[in-house]
Amino acid sequence: MDFILMAVIVLGAIGLIAALVLYVCSKKFAVYEDPRIAQVNEVLPGANCGGCGFPGCGGMADALVKGADAGSLDGLFCPVGGQAVMGQVADLLGMAIANSEPMVAVVRCNGTCEFRPKIAEYSGLRNCAAMNACGAGETACGFGCLGCGDCVEACQFDAIHINPETGLPEVDEEKCTSCGACVKACPRHIIELRKKGVKGRRVFVSCVNKDKGPVAMKACKSACIGCGKCEKECAFGAITIENNVSYIDFNKCRLCRKCVAVCPTKAIHAVNFPAPKPKPEVPAEEAPKAAPQSQSETPVIPEKPAEPVQPKAKEEQA
């Protein structure tokens, strides 16, 4: 009985000493966390998509609080929550935040099954990363979409799907939060975040093929050939050509669409613009006709009367 009591006392003493040591360590090595971080984290959408550039919403909340302490929230923006969520965060931290234009994911490839036929059959792991590592894929274009759907799997908001007819991904503008997950998932970097534009209108080059014109056209009939017509037509300096492919700077583009009209391969796309109004056809009966003038109506220019020839005067006889 004494042994049992002794064991209980010893174990109790060890537990008490261990508790005291843990208490002292917790106080000495405690990490202070600003309570505002938890408040900001509750306001954020909780998608943990990484579109803000931080590891989840917790990292974004910590960065926002530190930015508020530094006096500026520039460069910090939650693409999922948008301006509404950032406004709540700014009010919570007592800061002002600049308005940011909404962005949307854009697929810069027009290589549909019609323009870019298959020349090979891929047999392997069915994802874009694996197919891209094996080579050009099933078509002759080594820059275009592979169509396996890595971007679809990466999207947490069901905003992108593969069109079975074209084999290309299509973005639902209403669901897209511009988190950038699809951009990171694409091994060929054909998906880009661009300004959504007024009324969702935007103009972009739907091609990233860096081959020279003849090679690009052989691989895809709708490829950009780097001819430079669009660059010459743009009066705002929004179009540049680099590595044989055109690029439109959405910060300079004024949506005039003159470049769309001059592109010989139709590689430049204009989205959400109203269809051009058809020109009214003039009936043949109402078309003005030039009435032929009759011979009587033809103006006759009177001829000048011939001047009488004066006979030469005979020389006077001497």
Side-chain angles (χ1 to χ4, degrees):
M1 188 67 179
D2 295 337
F3 292 103
I4 297 175
L5 181 61
M6 184 65 66
V8 171
I9 294 173
V10 170
L11 289 175
I14 293 174
L16 180 61
I17 295 172
L20 291 173
V21 171
L22 290 175
Y23 175 77
V24 172
C25 291
S26 65
K27 292 297 183 181
K28 184 173 181 61
F29 301 105
V31 177
Y32 172 76
E33 181 174 300
D34 195 320
R36 294 176 298 172
I37 296 178
Q39 297 174 0
V40 173
N41 198 14
E42 291 180 1
V43 175
L44 295 175
N48 295 317
C49 60
C52 56
F54 296 94
C57 293
M60 178 63 169
D62 182 61
L64 287 168
V65 172
K66 290 180 179 178
D69 292 339
S72 175
L73 297 180
D74 294 341
L76 300 174
F77 187 79
C78 175
V80 178
Q83 199 66 33
V85 169
M86 292 306 298
Q88 296 179 26
V89 171
D91 293 339
L92 182 62
L93 299 177
M95 298 288 295
I97 190 166
N99 292 331
S100 178
E101 295 189 32
M103 309 285 283
V104 67
V106 170
V107 180
R108 294 187 58 205
C109 179
N110 195 36
T112 62
C113 301
E114 176 186 359
F115 298 141
R116 189 172 51 126
K118 292 184 178 182
I119 60 172
E121 186 71 27
Y122 173 77
S123 179
L125 186 61
R126 201 71 187 178
N127 62 55
C128 297
M131 187 182 291
N132 183 63
C134 293
E138 297 180 325
T139 68
C141 180
F143 299 90
C145 177
L146 295 167
C148 294
D150 287 18
C151 52
V152 178
E153 296 180 2
C155 183
Q156 302 181 31
F157 307 97
D158 194 36
I160 187 168
H161 298 91
I162 300 293
N163 188 322
E165 296 182 0
T166 63
L168 296 176
E170 295 181 352
V171 179
D172 188 340
E173 299 180 14
E174 301 301 324
K175 295 181 179 179
C176 181
T177 60
S178 66
C179 67
C182 56
V183 178
K184 298 175 183 177
C186 181
R188 292 192 169 177
H189 311 290
I190 67 168
I191 304 180
E192 178 190 12
L193 293 180
R194 297 179 68 90
K195 285 185 179 179
K196 195 170 184 179
V198 180
K199 298 182 180 179
R201 298 173 182 174
R202 51 195 176 276
V203 179
F204 60 94
V205 180
S206 187
C207 182
V208 294
N209 195 326
K210 296 179 176 61
D211 289 330
K212 292 184 178 180
V215 180
M217 282 295 292
K218 187 176 181 180
C220 179
K221 296 179 182 179
S222 185
C224 174
I225 57 177
C227 62
K229 290 184 177 181
C230 54
E231 185 181 21
K232 294 178 182 177
E233 190 69 21
C234 183
F236 307 102
I239 303 179
T240 55
I241 297 178
E242 187 176 354
N243 295 326
N244 304 312
V245 65
S246 299
Y247 180 78
I248 300 177
D249 187 346
F250 53 80
N251 292 311
K252 297 180 180 179
C253 180
R254 296 295 179 268
L255 306 177
C256 66
R257 292 180 291 167
K258 291 183 179 180
C259 55
V260 180
V262 299
C263 180
T265 61
K266 308 301 179 185
I268 303 179
H269 287 192
V271 182
N272 293 330
F273 286 89
K277 296 181 180 180
K279 296 181 180 180
E281 297 181 359
V282 180
E285 299 177 355
E286 300 180 3
K289 296 181 179 180
Q293 294 179 341
S294 60
Q295 295 181 356
S296 61
E297 296 177 352
T298 304
V300 179
I301 301 175
E303 297 181 357
K304 292 183 178 181
E307 296 181 359
V309 179
Q310 298 290 338
K312 293 183 179 180
K314 295 182 179 181
E315 295 182 357
E316 295 180 358
Q317 296 179 357

